[in-house]
Amino acid sequence: MKGLAVRLVVLACVCALAVAFIGSGFASAGGHGNGAGSFGLADAVSVQVPQTEQAAPVEEDESTGSATEFSESFVLETTAKRDISANVSQLEQRLEAERIAAEEEARRHEAECMERSVARQAEAAAQGYPNVYDVDFTIGKKAFVETWGQRIDAYLAGFPLEGYGAAFAEAAWENSIDPRWSAAISNTESTRGTNCFRAYNAWGWMGNGWSSWTESINGHAAGLSEGYGYTISLANAQKYCPPTYQDWYQRTITEMVKI
């Protein structure tokens, strides 16, 4: 019995130690497990969280890109689907109407100038003006300006008014005067623009000055048309240069014949 009791006591002690050891082991394992678990979770978190944070912007960028692409494609498709043919057609019709109106107005004006010039020629011829019909207005403005522009340019070559033949010719057409008249007077008064007593005034014209040759040529032609008529005559010479009108007339008409 005594031996049995001793064995029971030893067995109890062994069980107690085993339990204590197991508990200690669990406790130790739990402590280390917590640390290892924390470390493992931390690693997992540290690995997974950045991946999540990095993935999110990519998704946002992709989403933004998709939205941008959608917006651009939507605008392009919407613009492409707009029907602007009606507006284009209206614009073309308006421009065509304006072109036709401008051409008709130009033809009307040309016919008016031609009719007026022919009437003035007839009037001058009836009054005995010389060389009246040496100028043909019935050829139309374009041919008139081209023909007389070249002839006047040849006359003005080498002088300050060189190159303004077309300006003289067009001014003559618009004002229904002999295209040789103004250019010839410029020689009588200033040697074709060489000795002007006012700016761009080659004609001794009322003391006026101008800002350019084109302006002065148009101004002089308009003044001749309004104040003197179609072409040169003794009466017009007397009006233009009273003191020496006969000499003035002869010198000027001599130059007109050269053109």
Side-chain angles (χ1 to χ4, degrees):
M1 291 294 294
K2 183 176 180 181
L4 179 60
V6 171
R7 285 196 296 268
L8 291 174
V9 171
V10 171
L11 180 59
C13 291
V14 170
C15 290
L17 289 173
V19 170
F21 176 78
I22 292 171
S24 175
F26 282 134
S28 175
H32 290 292
N34 288 339
S38 298
F39 181 80
L41 290 175
D43 284 350
V45 171
S46 65
V47 171
Q48 294 174 0
V49 169
Q51 288 177 353
T52 303
E53 293 176 350
Q54 292 175 358
V58 172
E59 292 176 358
E60 291 176 358
D61 289 344
E62 290 177 355
S63 174
T64 303
S66 298
T68 303
E69 292 174 2
F70 172 76
S71 176
E72 291 176 352
S73 62
F74 177 77
V75 171
L76 291 174
E77 289 177 5
T78 304
T79 304
K81 291 178 181 178
R82 289 177 184 170
D83 184 6
I84 61 173
S85 58
N87 292 335
V88 172
S89 178
Q90 290 176 0
L91 177 60
E92 289 176 345
Q93 291 175 5
R94 180 173 64 81
L95 293 176
E96 179 65 10
E98 291 176 355
R99 183 189 66 79
I100 293 173
E103 289 181 353
E104 290 178 350
E105 174 59 23
R107 284 194 293 268
R108 184 200 63 77
H109 180 67
E110 181 178 25
E112 181 181 285
C113 288
M114 189 184 303
E115 182 179 354
R116 182 175 65 244
S117 298
V118 170
R120 280 193 160 193
Q121 281 181 325
E123 181 182 354
Q127 296 177 11
Y129 289 15
N131 306 317
V132 169
Y133 291 112
D134 290 349
V135 179
D136 184 5
F137 282 87
T138 64
I139 60 176
K141 180 178 180 179
K142 182 179 179 180
F144 181 92
V145 172
E146 182 177 353
T147 299
W148 286 100
Q150 291 175 357
R151 294 176 65 165
I152 296 170
D153 271 336
Y155 174 73
L156 297 173
F159 294 89
L161 280 166
E162 179 179 2
Y164 286 90
F168 276 101
E170 185 165 359
W173 174 273
E174 293 295 331
N175 292 282
S176 299
I177 63 171
D178 189 320
R180 303 165 293 182
W181 194 12
S182 179
I185 293 174
S186 76
N187 184 78
T188 303
E189 293 291 340
S190 69
T191 315
R192 306 176 210 183
T194 303
N195 303 300
C196 299
F197 76 104
R198 291 285 187 275
Y200 299 102
N201 187 339
W203 303 273
W205 189 254
M206 302 179 194
N208 289 343
W210 284 281
S211 61
S212 69
W213 283 127
T214 300
E215 181 185 15
S216 62
I217 290 167
N218 288 324
H220 188 249
L224 289 177
S225 178
E226 182 179 352
Y228 299 84
Y230 173 72
T231 193
I232 193 169
S233 67
L234 275 173
N236 283 334
Q238 187 172 13
K239 184 177 181 180
Y240 198 105
C241 184
T244 58
Y245 74 92
Q246 290 182 328
D247 177 65
W248 189 93
Y249 170 80
Q250 191 59 51
R251 290 172 59 193
T252 303
I253 198 171
T254 298
E255 294 302 313
M256 290 177 67
V257 173
K258 294 178 182 179
I259 300 174

